[in-house]
Amino acid sequence: KMIQINYGPEWFYLPSLLIDFVGFLVLFLISFYGLKYYKISNKKNYLHISGAFSLLCLSFLFKLLTNATVYYDSLKDNYQNVVIVGTLEVIRGFNLFSILTFSAFVLLHILGLYFLYNIYNKNQSHSHVFLIVYFILLSTYLSNFDYYIFHLTALFFLGILSLTYLKHYKKSGHENTRLLYHGFLMLALSQIFFIFLVLNQYFYVIAEV
């Protein structure tokens, strides 16, 4: 059974996969260098950052598997490239349960964002952590029925991360902190465009870009 997710126009299916693949590579590199800096400096913040981005990277892998399966029929008709079609057939062969891959994407993505949030909010009570975990699991389950639940949850965490980095930038004035603030702000805006996908397919194109 396929997940009932709204996607953009058919002509954007392949570009969408390519964008997500680039996202996967970028997240992998951030995770890799975070671990490398941890080994050099032994600062746990780098290890936490590496772990968070590893979860986000893995989530994009599951997103690629899910979307490749959903897009398969359309891409096979529109693109006769042997490499593209052959790759999609291999992915489809392994991706027998799109509902599980989509759930894995949502769960890992939200967990990754929560880990990033947790770096600057470490002093949390056990009850608070359990409440957040319950909130994440509930969001993952509900996202299988209404795709925008995931985007609302991601928007919540990204909004908090944006405000956190804005606060740190005002204190420190560091250029890198400002860039991180703008980066998370753009990601938060993308979630808003994903939510409004129900109104027009081209919101998906804007959100992906």
Side-chain angles (χ1 to χ4, degrees):
K1 182 181 178 181
M2 292 293 178
I3 309 296
Q4 296 302 310
I5 311 172
N6 290 324
Y7 289 99
E10 285 193 18
W11 62 264
F12 192 66
Y13 283 179
L14 184 59
S16 173
L17 287 173
L18 294 175
I19 289 171
D20 287 340
F21 181 70
V22 171
F24 167 79
L25 291 178
V26 170
L27 290 165
F28 173 79
L29 288 173
I30 295 172
S31 175
F32 172 77
Y33 281 108
L35 184 60
K36 190 174 180 180
Y37 282 123
Y38 166 70
K39 289 179 178 178
I40 295 171
S41 66
N42 207 32
K43 291 181 179 178
K44 284 190 176 180
N45 265 11
Y46 287 122
L47 183 62
H48 294 158
I49 288 171
S50 177
F53 278 98
S54 293
L55 288 173
L56 291 171
C57 176
L58 192 56
S59 78
F60 263 67
L61 178 61
F62 281 108
K63 182 183 180 184
L64 283 165
L65 290 171
T66 304
N67 288 356
T69 302
V70 175
Y71 295 165
Y72 176 80
D73 291 330
S74 175
L75 288 173
K76 187 177 180 181
D77 293 337
N78 293 330
Y79 298 94
Q80 298 303 316
N81 184 292
V82 175
V83 175
I84 293 174
V85 174
T87 303
L88 289 171
E89 285 179 347
V90 171
I91 291 173
R92 197 183 200 195
F94 282 101
N95 187 33
L96 300 176
F97 305 101
S98 62
I99 194 166
L100 294 179
T101 55
F102 177 75
S103 296
F105 157 63
V106 172
L107 178 61
L108 292 170
H109 198 88
I110 297 175
L111 276 176
L113 293 177
Y114 173 61
F115 276 25
L116 286 175
Y117 160 81
N118 216 29
I119 291 171
Y120 292 99
N121 298 273
K122 294 176 181 177
N123 299 321
Q124 300 178 54
S125 64
H126 291 299
S127 59
H128 180 78
V129 173
F130 283 128
L131 184 63
I132 292 293
V133 170
Y134 171 75
F135 173 64
I136 291 172
L137 291 175
L138 182 62
S139 297
T140 301
Y141 174 73
L142 293 177
S143 294
N144 284 289
F145 303 99
D146 291 298
Y147 75 96
Y148 60 84
I149 297 294
F150 161 68
H151 296 297
L152 281 171
T153 307
L155 174 61
F156 171 77
F157 281 112
L158 287 166
I160 291 176
L161 286 168
S162 299
L163 292 173
T164 299
Y165 280 106
L166 177 61
K167 184 179 177 181
H168 280 276
Y169 170 65
K170 287 181 177 179
K171 283 184 178 180
S172 66
H174 291 158
E175 180 65 14
N176 284 343
T177 307
R178 185 182 70 84
L179 290 173
L180 285 167
Y181 158 66
H182 286 302
F184 282 114
L185 182 62
M186 282 195 292
L187 290 171
L189 289 173
S190 74
Q191 300 304 319
I192 296 174
F193 284 116
F194 275 124
I195 292 168
F196 285 104
L197 172 60
V198 68
L199 301 177
N200 191 298
Q201 285 186 325
Y202 284 92
F203 278 115
Y204 186 87
V205 177
I206 297 170
E208 279 286 287
V209 172

